[in-house]
Amino acid sequence: MSSKRKTGDLVSEEGFGSEAKRQRVVEEEEESSPSPPPLPIANPLSGLANYDDDDEEEEEERQGAEQNGSGKGGENGSGGQGMEEEEEEEEDQTEQGYGQGRRNREVERRRDCPYLDTVNRQVLDFDFEKFCSVSLSNLNVYACLVCGKYYQGRGKKSHAYTHSLEAGHHVFINLRTEQVYCLPDGYEIDDPSLDDIRHVLNPRFAREQVEQLDKNKQWSRALDGSDYLPGMVGLNNIKETDFVNVTIQSLMRVTPLRNFFLIPENYKRSKSPLVHRFGELTRKIWHTRNFKGQVSPHEFLQAIMKASKKRFRIGAQSDPVEFISWLLNTLHADLKTKKNRSIIYDCFQGELEVVKEIHNKAFLEKKEYSDDQHAASKLTDGGSEHDAVVTETSRMPFLMLGLDLPPPPLFKDVMEKNIIPQVPLFNILKKFDGETITEVVRPCTARMRYRVTRLPQYLILHMRRFTKNNFFVEKNPTLVNFPVKNLELKDYIPLPTPKENQKLRSKYDLIANIVHDGKPDEGYYRVFVQRKSEELWYEMQDLHVSETLPQMVALSETYMQIYEQHQ
């Protein structure tokens, strides 16, 4: 009975009332009857014992936590710091967890995005600088394909993520990698229906396509239903940037230059932003799958402002002759090889022979002011000294030739109207026949004679219409009569004899004609360009592109021309 009492006391101490009585009855029956072999049955009290164990574990954890807290409080001087450290550790762990989750989500790619129907191609415009519209940063920028705005990043605290929650816009494209993501879910969208957006963001051309461009007669259709010709798209005049637009449109007709910049592999080693922006603009102008029929050269203009140190900038009218001279020389400097060759020189560089006659009086003055008495008497490249004239002969390369217009008449005619004079192109080309003398004042008074010794593949001519004096700028209104096709130079200027097995190529066709209209300070520029596939002429002024007759090209105040050599 003692054993019974002990067990009963034990059970009663655990406080199970009726359960204790029932256990006593069971024990008395077991003592009175022989004990059968133990059966493998579950203990009915095991559940309650487990609850007790859980309670005991919770109490032990609580006590341990209090002891740890007091211990940390003793070590650190206060228990609050220990708790803060634990919270920081937990936050670090949660942040690590979020980072791992984000990395896992980056790997996830899905085709079945439910938000693809929200993409609005009408508002997409990738012509402007890739900067976040909130932070103005150019790092890791995404374009919202629903509203067209640019936002930075796609993490939980980024502007793109916030925009996706606030505006309910979920589809974003990375402007550098061209990957499309759904936010805030974070998965990558792998759907071929978005390829047209990638092509507009970064147009691509295969070499076979480039070779066939001049044979393409097909029109393209923009999203608004308007038709446009690839390569004949209008350029947006951001603010008094028509001098840039006419220059770009003219250079787009130079086939080797265009083909070079249509394939980025040709200039991938160049670190110049100007080269890459010019290549991007070339690809956008000739792209056949644009969403709209015009292009904004905004990024190219920003690169121009930076490279020219704001010599050419948005909002200030400039001279297209000065601009094309600066642009060609800068592109050559950025692209040149060790042999000082580039696609610019291959297209436009020719060579002149210059004979400079300095009068003896001026030569003696120059001799007096020189530091070395003997240095002035040494003449360059076969010079000869006479009693009155000192002659210097030299050869110099050129990218364009400047032509002088005859002065306009000072008096009005009988009808009290100013006569607009006309002059044939061949008359003003005589400047380069090697016999006609041109008087120059700077750097010293001299008589110059020019002769072309090597013709370029593409000849740039510009007419000096503007003369500056101390008070204002004057414009010469003289019209120049020129042929649109088959300009034969050998009939008017002496040309060098070609080498053996070479043919003298002296016949040229006009491909671009830049015109200035209006007063010198208030005027604007437009350009006539030829489309080679159909040999049609188009007049282009910023966004306006219209077909015109070849006869109309020669009836304007031409300012700069580009001629292509017959092959």
Side-chain angles (χ1 to χ4, degrees):
M1 291 295 292
S2 63
S3 63
K4 290 178 197 171
R5 199 176 294 114
K6 281 178 186 173
T7 0
D9 292 341
L10 179 64
V11 178
S12 62
E13 281 173 6
E14 289 177 358
F16 286 107
S18 60
E19 292 289 341
K21 292 178 183 177
R22 192 173 61 196
Q23 193 169 356
R24 286 195 195 103
V25 174
V26 171
E27 287 177 351
E28 287 174 358
E29 288 177 355
E30 285 176 354
E31 286 181 357
S32 60
S33 61
S35 59
L39 296 173
I41 58 171
N43 186 3
L45 299 178
S46 61
L48 296 173
N50 283 342
Y51 291 144
D52 283 341
D53 292 342
D54 291 341
D55 294 338
E56 288 172 3
E57 286 174 4
E58 287 175 6
E59 287 179 3
E60 287 175 1
E61 286 176 2
R62 201 178 300 117
Q63 290 174 0
E66 289 173 0
Q67 289 175 1
N68 290 337
S70 60
K72 284 179 182 173
E75 289 172 6
N76 299 330
S78 66
Q81 292 181 3
M83 297 296 288
E84 287 175 2
E85 287 180 2
E86 285 185 357
E87 289 174 0
E88 288 176 1
E89 288 178 2
E90 289 176 0
E91 287 177 2
D92 291 343
Q93 289 174 358
T94 52
E95 286 177 2
Q96 289 174 2
Y98 285 140
Q100 290 173 357
R102 185 164 66 247
R103 282 194 293 274
N104 293 336
R105 284 198 299 273
E106 283 179 359
V107 177
E108 183 184 0
R109 302 180 71 178
R110 287 173 53 178
R111 285 178 173 268
D112 54 342
C113 180
Y115 302 111
L116 282 180
D117 58 341
T118 63
V119 173
N120 185 5
R121 288 167 171 79
Q122 301 278 357
V123 299
L124 299 183
D125 187 357
F126 301 122
D127 291 344
F128 291 88
E129 287 183 298
K130 313 295 191 290
F131 281 88
C132 173
S133 58
V134 180
S135 66
L136 298 181
S137 170
N138 62 346
L139 300 174
N140 202 23
V141 180
Y142 289 77
C144 174
L145 296 184
V146 183
C147 64
K149 294 179 181 176
Y150 294 171
Y151 294 98
Q152 186 180 16
R154 58 186 174 88
K156 296 220 169 196
K157 296 181 181 179
S158 66
H159 300 298
Y161 191 91
T162 307
H163 175 71
S164 70
L165 294 175
E166 287 180 348
H169 299 168
H170 300 289
V171 189
F172 293 80
I173 185 169
N174 188 314
L175 295 176
R176 187 178 60 83
T177 64
E178 302 176 15
Q179 292 173 308
V180 183
Y181 295 92
C182 177
L183 296 182
D185 299 343
Y187 59 84
E188 183 182 348
I189 303 171
D190 182 15
D191 195 296
S193 67
L194 300 170
D195 286 345
D196 60 335
I197 298 176
R198 293 189 179 97
H199 276 276
V200 172
L201 172 60
N202 185 15
R204 302 164 180 81
F205 287 87
R207 294 189 184 274
E208 295 77 19
Q209 290 176 291
V210 171
E211 292 170 2
Q212 299 297 320
L213 275 181
D214 286 335
K215 300 176 183 176
N216 179 32
K217 298 182 180 181
Q218 192 172 359
W219 290 64
S220 295
R221 177 158 292 183
L223 288 178
D224 59 358
S226 61
D227 294 329
Y228 69 92
L229 279 167
M232 295 286 171
V233 297
L235 293 176
N236 194 11
N237 186 346
I238 294 174
K239 190 181 180 185
E240 296 184 11
T241 56
D242 49 340
F243 72 98
V244 175
N245 292 350
V246 294
T247 305
I248 293 169
Q249 297 284 17
S250 302
L251 291 177
M252 290 300 105
R253 311 308 132 200
V254 180
T255 307
L257 185 72
R258 178 202 68 191
N259 293 354
F260 178 85
F261 280 101
L262 282 178
I263 299 174
E265 286 77 20
N266 293 333
Y267 49 91
K268 63 182 179 182
R269 293 182 181 177
S270 174
K271 296 180 181 178
S272 167
L274 183 71
V275 171
H276 292 279
R277 295 293 90 81
F278 186 72
E280 284 178 15
L281 184 60
T282 305
R283 294 197 300 277
K284 286 178 180 178
I285 288 174
W286 286 94
H287 190 44
T288 57
R289 296 164 61 181
N290 284 332
F291 288 162
K292 55 190 189 305
Q294 68 265 0
V295 175
S296 292
H298 191 268
E299 284 189 283
F300 181 58
L301 285 165
Q302 294 288 345
I304 289 169
M305 288 170 63
K306 188 174 181 181
S308 68
K309 298 177 182 176
K310 294 196 175 179
R311 177 183 170 189
F312 306 102
R313 63 184 189 273
I314 298 172
Q317 183 70 276
S318 295
D319 189 343
V321 171
E322 290 181 15
F323 175 66
I324 196 172
S325 176
W326 172 85
L327 179 64
L328 293 179
N329 282 293
T330 307
L331 289 176
H332 166 73
D334 294 336
L335 291 169
K336 65 181 178 182
T337 60
K338 293 180 180 178
K339 296 181 179 179
N340 199 29
R341 301 302 305 169
S342 70
I343 186 68
I344 306 296
Y345 277 14
D346 292 344
C347 291
F348 299 107
Q349 192 185 47
E351 193 179 62
L352 277 179
E353 182 185 81
V354 182
V355 179
K356 186 176 184 181
E357 296 179 356
I358 305 175
H359 288 278
N360 205 14
K361 183 179 177 183
F363 185 76
L364 290 174
E365 287 176 2
K366 181 180 173 185
K367 189 174 179 180
E368 287 173 6
Y369 288 116
S370 64
D371 295 331
D372 187 2
Q373 295 291 330
H374 300 286
S377 61
K378 294 178 181 177
L379 302 170
T380 62
D381 207 291
S384 59
E385 187 170 353
H386 302 286
D387 296 336
V389 178
V390 176
T391 306
E392 297 180 5
T393 305
S394 59
R395 293 199 173 195
M396 57 186 296
F398 69 88
L399 291 177
M400 65 173 70
L401 297 176
L403 304 176
D404 301 317
L405 295 175
L410 295 174
F411 305 103
K412 298 183 179 181
D413 63 355
V414 183
M415 306 295 293
E416 289 297 320
K417 291 181 180 179
N418 280 323
I419 303 169
I420 299 177
Q422 299 186 34
V423 58
L425 177 66
F426 306 113
N427 286 11
I428 55 178
L429 270 176
K430 287 180 181 177
K431 175 183 177 180
F432 299 99
D433 62 1
E435 298 176 2
T436 304
I437 293 173
T438 307
E439 300 277 352
V440 296
V441 181
R442 294 189 182 95
C444 61
T445 306
R447 294 155 64 96
M448 313 287 283
R449 286 179 293 161
Y450 304 100
R451 187 170 67 88
V452 178
T453 55
R454 180 164 56 85
L455 286 171
Q457 185 179 354
Y458 288 86
L459 179 65
I460 304 177
L461 302 176
H462 79 91
M463 290 65 183
R464 295 198 170 105
R465 286 198 177 275
F466 301 106
T467 52
K468 295 180 182 179
N469 54 29
N470 293 332
F471 306 102
F472 50 86
V473 180
E474 289 182 294
K475 180 183 175 184
N476 190 329
T478 304
L479 293 180
V480 179
N481 298 324
F482 55 88
V484 174
K485 292 183 77 70
N486 298 324
L487 170 66
E488 183 59 86
L489 290 179
K490 71 177 182 182
D491 296 342
Y492 301 94
I493 58 175
L495 296 174
T497 54
K499 298 176 183 178
E500 294 181 8
N501 304 325
Q502 283 189 355
K503 185 182 177 184
L504 178 63
R505 295 190 177 97
S506 61
K507 195 174 282 190
Y508 284 83
D509 288 340
L510 184 70
I511 56 172
N513 181 39
I514 294 176
V515 172
H516 182 268
D517 295 320
K519 297 179 181 178
D521 298 327
E522 304 169 4
Y524 53 89
Y525 294 96
R526 55 195 172 97
V527 63
F528 294 93
V529 297
Q530 186 193 36
R531 189 180 183 214
K532 288 186 180 179
S533 58
E534 298 171 331
E535 293 193 356
L536 296 176
W537 282 88
Y538 289 85
E539 180 184 347
M540 310 177 86
Q541 183 180 347
D542 299 330
L543 293 174
H544 302 287
V545 181
S546 58
E547 188 178 340
T548 186
L549 295 171
Q551 294 83 354
M552 299 297 293
V553 178
L555 294 178
S556 49
E557 297 177 5
T558 179
Y559 187 51
M560 187 169 68
Q561 299 176 326
I562 301 180
Y563 285 89
E564 182 181 31
Q565 193 178 52
H566 277 208
Q567 295 300 317

